[in-house]
Amino acid sequence: MSQGASLLRVGIAYVIAIGAGLAWLLWGLDSGQLWLDGLIADLIATVVIFAFSRFYGNSTFYDAFWSVIPPLLAFYWWIAADAGVNDVRWWLMMIVLLAWAIRLTANWIRTFPGMHHEDWRYPMVRERAGRFEFVADLMGIHVFPTLQVFAGLVPVYVVATRAGEPLGWLDFVAFGVGLAALALETIADLQMHRFIATRKPGQVMDTGVWSWSRHPNYFGECGIWFSMGLFGLAAWPGAWWVFVGTFAMVAMFLAVSIPMMEQRSLERRPEYARVVERVSLFIPRPPKKRPQEKSRTTTSA
């Protein structure tokens, strides 16, 4: 199936999923809590995407859900609450969130070859689950990430529904952190695209921002959610629990996503072991010198 035909099917799935979630918000039972209504709608949309994933035998249908749904939930809360929140804070936050969503979705579209492709981690999750692969597919690949992102949106909900706190310096710090994280993710992706286009068999990426961190894109992603947390804290000073989603994101990347990527890279590219010795795992920092560089430094001294 071509990329265009595949994207058309994914697009149809998202229209139906978003429509199902919206139908719940408009005509479903009213819980009396905007955050809960949003969560239920989010889960309904997730189940619709899961149905498409099972029908086509490809969980790639879920990939863009990570970035498509957050702005929609944010605007729903903002409009439904009509709380008279600080407009400058709201739009500073939404500039970051919208730019992140557009960039991440566009990057996925650019790299998605078609329905014949599926992220290598999805079959691994299903195979490891054995006879419980249906549950692993539903909960591990679809529902868990939805809950993860929803937790990251807690501060967005706070900004959308809590009024009265004036704009302050923390809002601009949050905006700066968000832009910096967005820039890091963008640069990391562009550098990786150029590398993939020209790499030789077995070659590993260890230049540019990838020489400072083995996973700069993941670090940038966590920076986006940290930025959201700062906006939430600015809207509700002292509410440190707004960072629960940020901490969950960091834990997921460090405990699940990064170890899986590291193992795969070590198995497929022996040279990657040397990158591990020199380049930071997650937090960017100057790389250690190569052995030959150390030798030259010692000789010149």
Side-chain angles (χ1 to χ4, degrees):
M1 188 182 297
S2 68
Q3 183 191 42
S6 299
L7 287 173
L8 177 61
R9 284 162 174 77
V10 173
I12 292 172
Y14 276 64
V15 170
I16 295 174
I18 293 170
L22 181 60
W24 170 266
L25 294 176
L26 294 177
W27 301 297
L29 296 176
D30 186 356
S31 69
Q33 299 290 334
L34 284 179
W35 69 268
L36 183 55
D37 292 336
L39 175 59
I40 294 173
D42 198 4
L43 290 172
I44 289 173
T46 300
V47 171
V48 172
I49 296 299
F50 173 69
F52 273 90
S53 295
R54 298 299 292 188
F55 181 80
Y56 283 94
N58 191 333
S59 295
T60 291
F61 271 92
Y62 186 82
D63 285 351
F65 201 81
W66 182 280
S67 53
V68 168
I69 296 301
L72 299 180
L73 276 175
F75 277 116
Y76 161 69
W77 287 328
W78 182 55
I79 294 171
D82 192 20
V85 300
N86 188 295
D87 285 341
V88 178
R89 172 181 295 122
W90 167 258
W91 285 112
L92 285 176
M93 181 188 72
M94 288 308 298
I95 286 172
V96 174
L97 189 64
L98 285 170
W100 164 82
I102 293 170
R103 190 209 68 81
L104 196 57
T105 305
N107 187 65
W108 176 78
I109 293 173
R110 175 182 178 182
T111 58
F112 176 54
M115 204 59 69
H116 59 277
H117 168 80
E118 185 179 30
D119 190 299
W120 58 271
R121 288 166 290 195
Y122 298 158
M124 181 185 296
V125 169
R126 293 193 294 265
E127 290 170 6
R128 288 179 177 178
R131 61 196 180 109
F132 298 105
E133 65 88 18
F134 181 91
V135 177
D137 194 3
L138 172 61
M139 301 304 297
I141 299 176
H142 293 78
V143 172
F144 175 75
T146 289
L147 296 176
Q148 185 91 41
V149 172
F150 194 87
L153 290 174
V154 167
V156 176
Y157 177 80
V158 169
V159 174
T161 60
R162 183 178 173 84
E165 197 64 35
L167 193 73
W169 62 269
L170 190 56
D171 293 291
F172 296 100
V173 171
F175 187 63
V177 169
L179 292 184
L182 184 66
L184 177 59
E185 282 190 299
T186 303
I187 293 170
D189 283 343
L190 290 175
Q191 291 179 347
M192 181 57 74
H193 291 325
R194 286 197 294 267
F195 169 75
I196 291 175
T198 60
R199 68 180 172 184
K200 299 177 182 178
Q203 188 177 2
V204 295
M205 177 57 157
D206 62 348
T207 60
V209 296
W210 296 85
S211 67
W212 284 57
S213 170
R214 303 204 296 276
H215 302 278
N217 51 341
Y218 289 162
F219 182 80
E221 181 71 13
C222 290
I224 293 293
W225 297 107
F226 181 65
S227 169
M228 296 298 106
L230 290 175
F231 277 117
L233 189 62
W236 194 340
W240 292 101
W241 46 266
V242 296
F243 287 100
V244 62
T246 305
F247 297 144
M249 289 286 179
V250 174
M252 180 194 69
F253 282 122
L254 292 179
V256 181
S257 298
I258 288 178
M260 291 177 70
M261 295 293 292
E262 291 284 291
Q263 181 181 353
R264 179 176 171 84
S265 294
L266 288 169
E267 291 173 351
R268 291 161 57 92
R269 303 177 183 86
E271 183 66 22
Y272 190 71
R274 296 185 182 180
V275 176
V276 172
E277 295 175 355
R278 297 184 294 102
V279 180
S280 170
L281 174 68
F282 185 61
I283 300 175
R285 65 169 183 257
K288 297 177 182 178
K289 292 183 178 180
R290 300 174 188 269
Q292 58 267 31
E293 292 177 344
K294 290 183 180 180
S295 299
R296 283 197 294 267
T297 302
T298 304
T299 301
S300 62

